[in-house]
Amino acid sequence: MKKIVVFDLDGTLAESKSAIDEEMGTLLYSLLLVARVAIISGGAWPQFEKQVLAHLPADQRLQRLSILPACGTQFYEYDHEWKQLYAENFVPEEKKKITDALNSVVAQLGYTPPQTWGSQIEDRGSQITFSALGQEAPLEEKKKWDPDFAKRQQMKALLVHIIPEFAINLGGTTSVDITKPGIDKAYGIRKLRDILLVSIEEMLFAGDAIFPGGNDYPAKEAGVDCIKVRDPDETKRVIETIVACYTVL
């Protein structure tokens, strides 16, 4: 059996930028009884607090939960409270270069929407994220903006020429994530391996974007056994099955 079950966040445990529901919270808490759990996402730490941790009991069972914001360039663990183990952040000059490149590409492609909900560009320390409609945009609006990833693929094609020293990944429903080279979910998987001393063969990953070009696909490329889910409801059924199998054993 696997020693650790790893999840993507948006589209897997919860709808984009939304909190896990009560059923998901109960299932995750049950899973922590039988296995270690990790969540790897391009999101920043406050998103994990708001979307997941605020909906789980704050007890010692959380010692079995690892949180990896920004694809593992940050790592949080629980010991009576949440503590940051490390953060591999950009320097100011790097942040400016990335922000300038994003603004240039958005203007060139005409991707300035008539309405935004919050800032389009978010500094996550070790990751800069562009959200086309703003960080707080309603989910229904976000789903309509780029359902086939075509707009963001255009952005990526331009960005790789302007800032080739950085990695550009497509995440969520309207997001483009920019990190240092080699920073993706495979990086987070390797960080889990090194810090928790759990082999990649002993991990199981569940995500909604396990396809070439999807931001969960690097986990598969890292050699983790993966389960592709459609949405949080399917993730719930996966968790139920895992808990049932561990309980029988």
Side-chain angles (χ1 to χ4, degrees):
M1 298 297 289
K2 302 298 184 179
K3 289 186 177 180
I4 183 166
V5 185
V6 188
F7 296 96
D8 168 50
L9 179 51
D10 283 349
T12 300
L13 293 178
E15 297 289 354
S16 180
K17 297 290 182 68
S18 300
I20 60 172
D21 63 23
E22 184 176 353
E23 183 184 11
M24 183 66 81
T26 299
L27 287 169
L28 281 174
Y29 194 64
S30 298
L31 183 58
L32 287 168
L33 271 178
V34 297
R36 289 199 66 104
V37 175
I39 307 173
I40 303 176
S41 169
W45 168 249
Q47 286 180 238
F48 287 89
E49 290 184 297
K50 178 181 177 182
Q51 291 182 250
V52 179
L53 302 179
H55 309 279
L56 294 175
D59 63 28
Q60 292 310 298
R61 200 179 298 186
L62 296 185
Q63 290 181 338
R64 297 166 66 87
L65 175 62
S66 300
I67 301 294
L68 288 77
C71 291
T73 52
Q74 301 167 25
F75 196 112
Y76 288 79
E77 56 187 9
Y78 188 83
D79 183 11
H80 303 291
E81 62 181 359
W82 286 101
K83 299 177 180 179
Q84 186 183 76
L85 192 62
Y86 66 79
E88 302 164 352
N89 292 335
F90 286 124
V91 299
E93 294 79 10
E94 291 173 320
K95 293 180 181 182
K96 183 180 187 305
K97 187 169 187 179
I98 292 168
T99 299
D100 289 347
L102 282 168
N103 285 327
S104 173
V105 166
V106 169
Q108 182 177 341
L109 293 174
Y111 287 168
T112 302
Q115 180 179 0
T116 57
W117 292 263
S119 174
Q120 283 186 303
I121 298 176
E122 181 184 9
D123 178 359
R124 297 179 178 176
S126 53
Q127 176 175 300
I128 304 295
T129 293
F130 168 82
S131 296
L133 302 181
Q135 297 294 324
E136 305 301 327
L139 180 58
E140 290 307 311
E141 293 296 325
K142 290 165 67 173
K143 285 181 175 179
K144 292 185 289 186
W145 188 77
D146 188 28
D148 59 359
F149 288 73
K151 292 179 180 177
R152 284 173 290 165
Q153 291 286 9
Q154 286 184 302
M155 290 186 65
K156 180 174 181 176
L158 293 176
L159 286 167
V160 295
H161 292 293
I162 301 172
I163 48 173
E165 66 270 41
F166 299 105
I168 297 100
N169 295 292
L170 311 183
T173 49
T174 66
S175 297
V176 177
D177 300 327
I178 300 178
T179 65
K180 295 177 182 178
I183 305 301
D184 53 25
K185 292 212 170 95
Y187 182 86
I189 291 292
R190 291 190 290 271
K191 284 292 190 179
L192 279 172
R193 176 197 63 195
D194 296 343
I195 291 171
L196 301 181
L197 303 178
V198 176
S199 72
I200 288 176
E201 291 74 22
E202 293 173 311
M203 299 181 190
L204 178 68
F205 179 87
D208 67 311
I210 305 173
F211 52 82
N215 68 343
D216 294 329
Y217 195 69
K220 181 178 179 66
E221 293 180 307
V224 182
D225 287 337
C226 292
I227 299 175
K228 185 180 184 301
V229 295
R230 291 188 305 271
D231 52 32
D233 282 338
E234 188 166 22
T235 303
K236 293 173 184 177
R237 307 293 80 83
V238 169
I239 296 173
E240 285 176 338
T241 301
I242 294 170
V243 171
C245 289
Y246 275 80
T247 301
V248 169
L249 291 172

